[in-house]
Amino acid sequence: MPSLATLVLSDARFPGGGHVHSGGLEEAVARALVTGVGDLGTFLHGRLRTAGLVAASFAAAAAVAAGSAEPCWAALDAELDARTPSAAQRDASRAQGRGTLRAARASWPSPVLDALVAAHPRPHHPLLVGAVVGIAGGDPVEAAQCVAYLAVSGPASAAVRLLGLDPIAVNAAIVAMAPTVDEVVALAVAAADRAPADLPAPGAPMLDLLAQSHVRHHREQVRLFAS
Amino acid sequence: MRARAVLAVERDTGGRCVVRELRSESPLSLVPRRGVAGALDTGVTVHLVGSATTPLAGDDVELDVRVGPGAALVLTGVAAAVALPGAGRASTLTVRVELDDGACLQYLPEPTVVTSRADHRTLLHATLHPTARLRAREVLVGGRSGEPSGRYAGTTRVVERARPAPGTTSDRVLLHQTQELGDAGLAASSAYLGGRRVLATEVLVWGDDSADGAVGDDWSLTSLRGRGSLATAVGHDAVGAQRALAEAVAAHPGWTSTVLAGAERARPAPPPHAAADESGRRW
Amino acid sequence: MRPEDHVGHGHGHLVTFDPTETEPDHHDTPPTHGRAVRIGIGGPVGSGKTALVAALARSLADRVRLAVVTNDIYTTEDADFLRRNAVLPPDRVEAVQTGCCPHTAIRDDITANLDAVETLEERFGDLDLVLVESGGDNLTAVFSRGLVDRQIFVVDVAGGDKVPRKGGPGVTTADLLVINKIDLAALVGADLGVMTSDAHRMRGELPVIAQSLVHDPGATDVGEWVLAQVGAVRAAA
């Protein structure tokens, strides 16, 4: 049974700043790559299998690290950076990590969070989520599930707002991805005990491109989402 | 076929780059050539030649490349590699690269075509001295024309050796990324290839990076944490993807300044430390 | 982020807040000691929030150390408006992306706005006042008390003289209600007397200011109220 912490962290109403990030979706919409529920599903599938798997793996590893005597936060931070070649995506992950940290400190105060922040003052979002799940007594499976779900639920919500899609149809599209979510979570959990350097590292060429393009348009013409 | 190849390039006392060690065996041949037009630096150029049909299922090829202090190497292919199917086993290509103080490597293999029933894995593991420079290209084509892609997974890991100075205790990883072909859902996703067949990347750990990066319709250039950049391009065919990749690389300030300097002088300056090392030995 | 980093920032307009800032924070938590007083300015679309912010920036710039967070820049035209009409240098204005949900960004999940306020506080260590302008929303949109110390709700006569009577949390609970554009009352057929008496009836003891930036470009009364709040919040801290 998932812990309350996992439910709270995966709730869209969690005040961690997630609602201003679209995970590349806003730029995909601007380029007419995503126009409806069908191609949204295809986009989300690719995102889940790549960025979602990286995030879920590091969240699961962070849940393990939270319970370990000598958590390797600095190595996890560096390896996650190395798996996020897009500077814009690294920054988006850290911005959400910082927002989540603010709320986490009030809800789950712990020396584990202090140690994570000592490794980097703006921790990556998956590391923070994994650490909180671990602090609250949850396991790596929950951490991976939470982050894998967030990898698609955030962009899906952005699509509802940007394209006026039917939220009921979008919700059904997310639920239809259950087998892929399970697959990603299984891969992430299987890797959770490995050394940080050996965690999964799938690239996502178009997500990198969309993230960089978003930043450019953010400067030239203001966008509605931060990423 | 199982093959082990070794290539070591050094800068001799006269300042010339020389091949110190060269071992290769079928199906991979290494053919050195000097003075190839168009290559930057007067370093050594070595061609990668597939001497038998490779990669074929079950092939297991390893190549170790070492570039010594101040030396420069261009390692390039002469023809596209075509990953072919076989008896249900994967083919693997592992390239390990060690770049010493002031060393330069341009690793520019020709495109790899992943035919429909292939299962090919690659690993490029580069370890760089903080003053070394690396340019490593990979162009992947998912299937021959009109053919679905076979399975491919290629991992690139670039690590910078810790500076031998107080305060830095461990190596730092600059890039670790696995590219995958052969999953139709992934290839179709606008988060991955957006229906294109060709994925081209180039790692540039080569002087200045652009903090903001650059982006076009089908390419991006983004700066890695710490040092280095990654150029990425997608295309419906190899020509288009390589053209887009060239645009991304042209947006990289470190590479561009090298090209401009090379065009001006048509010969390389010695690396800053090359006049003499601590022992007084002249390069 | 250090102030000098921002001076040479290559942005061509006012959107200087980058929530995806690369540089590590120098503070993990907002400085509680001597932090700036935060005043939210909300109200429906077109009621004149941006114009009021610009007026306050002009009239208060010499009296308090001031910065602005805006949630309302959807186009570069808006950004240019603030730049032209405010005497604030561009690096004293931060814009946030609200993910199409302006009320969420000021009420339910204030993260992006807190980040922006803290970025300004880190950039200028000695701010007295940060004005947080919400995106135009409806009559139910109010600021979270976790984000601002006081809030102003702005309605205008052109929105219809029934607006104060309709109530809603903005009209009834804001620390100050501003009835804006009163110079237009006759033109749009709005009864200013009805508006102000309704407003007072809905709000009890809470203050109401009716103003026109055409007649008073410095928003004098609102400016005095803002300064009084800065003093009061500081005194209570």
Side-chain angles (χ1 to χ4, degrees):
Chain A
M1 195 180 85
S3 65
L4 179 62
T6 307
L7 295 175
V8 168
L9 287 165
S10 56
D11 188 340
R13 285 162 291 190
F14 174 74
H19 79 105
V20 303
H21 293 271
S22 81
L25 196 276
E26 185 176 20
E27 181 66 18
V29 167
R31 290 174 172 232
L33 298 174
V34 173
T35 57
V37 177
D39 46 20
L40 172 64
T42 316
F43 174 89
L44 295 177
H45 175 83
R47 190 168 204 283
L48 180 58
R49 287 267 282 97
T50 56
L53 175 55
V54 172
S57 300
F58 278 79
V64 172
S68 98
E70 286 183 21
C72 44
W73 295 124
L76 285 168
D77 187 85
E79 293 289 345
L80 185 45
D81 263 349
R83 283 157 178 75
T84 319
S86 152
Q89 284 186 304
R90 289 197 298 279
D91 295 343
S93 170
R94 291 196 186 280
Q96 289 174 82
R98 167 177 157 146
T100 303
L101 174 66
R102 193 184 277 118
R105 277 199 156 136
S107 303
W108 301 278
S110 162
V112 172
L113 289 179
D114 300 334
L116 175 56
V117 170
H120 196 292
R122 291 162 61 97
H124 277 296
H125 184 244
L127 295 183
L128 200 61
V129 170
V132 167
V133 169
I135 290 165
D139 59 24
V141 178
E142 290 178 32
Q145 282 175 326
C146 176
V147 166
Y149 170 68
L150 288 173
V152 291
S153 66
S157 164
V160 169
R161 285 177 262 165
L162 286 166
L163 291 166
L165 300 182
D166 175 0
I168 294 166
V170 170
N171 194 64
I174 290 180
V175 171
M177 287 198 294
T180 313
V181 172
D182 291 346
E183 219 174 281
V184 163
V185 168
L187 288 170
V189 171
D193 291 314
R194 288 186 210 155
D198 297 327
L199 292 174
M206 283 298 289
L207 280 186
D208 292 352
L209 199 161
L210 294 172
Q212 294 301 124
S213 193
H214 185 105
V215 170
R216 188 184 68 181
H217 286 130
H218 164 60
R219 290 179 182 174
E220 290 171 356
Q221 60 198 58
V222 174
R223 284 285 161 93
L224 300 169
F225 287 82
S227 75
Chain B
M1 268 190 265
R2 184 174 181 277
R4 298 290 175 268
V6 176
L7 171 62
V9 174
E10 291 177 5
R11 198 173 171 101
D12 70 13
T13 49
R16 290 178 311 152
C17 293
V18 293
V19 174
R20 278 283 177 243
E21 188 178 2
L22 189 149
R23 277 190 285 137
S24 59
E25 54 189 9
S26 183
L28 179 71
S29 292
L30 296 170
V31 182
R33 271 189 66 185
R34 276 202 157 274
V36 171
L40 293 167
D41 294 336
T42 53
V44 171
T45 296
V46 174
H47 289 307
L48 290 160
V49 183
S51 53
T53 304
T54 188
L56 203 56
D59 278 353
D60 172 16
V61 177
E62 288 186 25
L63 168 63
D64 279 280
V65 178
R66 290 194 305 273
V67 184
L73 168 66
V74 177
L75 189 56
T76 178
V78 291
V82 180
L84 293 168
R89 285 179 302 160
S91 55
T92 63
L93 169 66
T94 302
V95 179
R96 280 180 296 264
V97 170
E98 280 272 352
L99 303 182
D100 215 321
D101 188 6
C104 290
L105 170 66
Q106 295 180 61
Y107 176 53
L108 307 169
E110 290 296 304
T112 298
V113 182
V114 184
T115 61
S116 67
R117 286 178 300 122
D119 187 359
H120 188 48
R121 316 278 165 83
T122 67
L123 171 66
L124 171 66
H125 191 153
T127 307
L128 282 72
H129 186 280
T131 60
R133 291 185 289 177
L134 169 70
R135 179 184 181 211
R137 181 187 298 163
E138 181 178 53
V139 179
L140 301 167
V141 183
R144 286 169 292 208
S145 188
E147 173 189 72
S149 177
R151 289 171 62 190
Y152 171 90
T155 296
T156 300
R157 183 172 172 88
V158 181
V159 173
E160 186 175 86
R161 279 262 181 268
R163 263 175 209 278
T168 50
T169 51
S170 62
D171 297 348
R172 62 172 180 174
V173 57
L174 303 180
L175 175 67
H176 189 131
Q177 176 164 267
T178 303
Q179 307 284 19
E180 191 183 327
L181 291 183
D183 179 316
L186 199 53
S189 174
S190 51
Y192 197 73
L193 284 185
R196 284 123 168 148
R197 196 163 63 95
V198 184
L199 170 59
T201 55
E202 196 161 312
V203 181
L204 285 156
V205 188
W206 202 284
D208 291 340
D209 299 294
S210 159
D212 289 342
V215 66
D217 283 345
D218 45 13
W219 59 266
S220 67
L221 175 77
T222 177
S223 59
L224 305 173
R225 178 191 180 180
R227 186 161 80 104
S229 294
L230 180 68
T232 304
V234 294
H236 292 289
D237 56 49
V239 173
Q242 284 173 294
R243 192 183 299 129
L245 185 67
E247 276 191 68
V249 170
H252 185 263
W255 177 253
T256 310
S257 67
T258 303
V259 172
L260 291 175
E264 245 170 53
R265 294 194 316 273
R267 64 191 180 87
H273 64 280
D277 66 12
E278 289 92 335
S279 66
R281 182 162 56 99
R282 296 197 67 81
W283 294 106
Chain C
M1 173 175 292
R2 301 179 304 272
E4 61 268 28
D5 288 344
H6 236 266
V7 171
H9 217 287
H11 295 189
H13 56 77
L14 273 180
V15 184
T16 55
F17 173 60
D18 187 349
T20 60
E21 190 55 56
T22 323
E23 189 146 323
D25 303 314
H26 299 288
H27 305 282
D28 305 326
T29 49
T32 47
H33 164 72
R35 80 161 171 74
V37 174
R38 303 163 183 183
I39 295 185
I41 298 180
V45 177
S47 60
K49 296 181 296 299
T50 307
L52 177 59
V53 168
L56 291 172
R58 269 195 310 270
S59 63
L60 301 182
D62 296 335
R63 304 170 69 182
V64 288
R65 289 159 295 193
L66 169 75
V68 172
V69 173
T70 178
N71 288 231
D72 204 22
I73 296 182
Y74 289 113
T75 65
T76 49
E77 284 93 312
D78 284 346
D80 289 341
F81 177 86
L82 252 188
R83 183 166 48 186
R84 274 198 313 271
N85 291 281
V87 292
L88 289 175
D91 64 350
R92 284 190 180 257
V93 182
E94 289 282 307
V96 302
Q97 285 75 43
T98 63
C100 309
C101 293
H103 59 275
T104 303
I106 60 163
R107 188 184 61 200
D108 309 76
D109 184 353
I110 56 180
T111 302
N113 273 294
L114 285 176
D115 285 346
V117 171
E118 288 169 17
T119 299
L120 286 165
E121 286 175 341
E122 286 162 20
R123 192 182 301 154
F124 307 100
D126 56 353
L127 288 176
D128 299 311
L129 173 64
V130 177
L131 296 175
V132 183
E133 181 198 353
S134 80
D137 212 301
N138 57 43
L139 295 174
T140 65
V142 289
F143 285 86
S144 160
R145 295 289 172 188
L147 176 60
V148 299
D149 301 298
R150 297 285 188 273
Q151 53 191 303
I152 301 172
F153 199 74
V154 183
V155 298
D156 74 304
V157 298
D161 55 15
K162 284 191 280 298
V163 166
R165 198 183 315 155
K166 286 180 186 169
V171 167
T172 57
T173 70
D175 300 294
L176 173 66
L177 180 72
V178 172
I179 299 173
N180 213 5
K181 306 186 194 174
I182 56 171
D183 53 299
L184 297 181
L187 293 173
V188 300
D191 186 332
L192 196 56
V194 166
M195 283 187 92
T196 31
S197 65
D198 281 351
H200 283 296
R201 185 166 50 78
M202 300 297 291
R203 290 170 54 76
E205 297 299 307
L206 291 169
V208 178
I209 294 175
Q211 68 161 13
S212 159
L213 293 175
V214 173
H215 299 147
D216 177 13
T220 313
D221 293 347
V222 178
E224 291 307 321
W225 182 87
V226 166
L227 291 179
Q229 301 311 308
V230 171
V233 173
R234 278 272 159 90

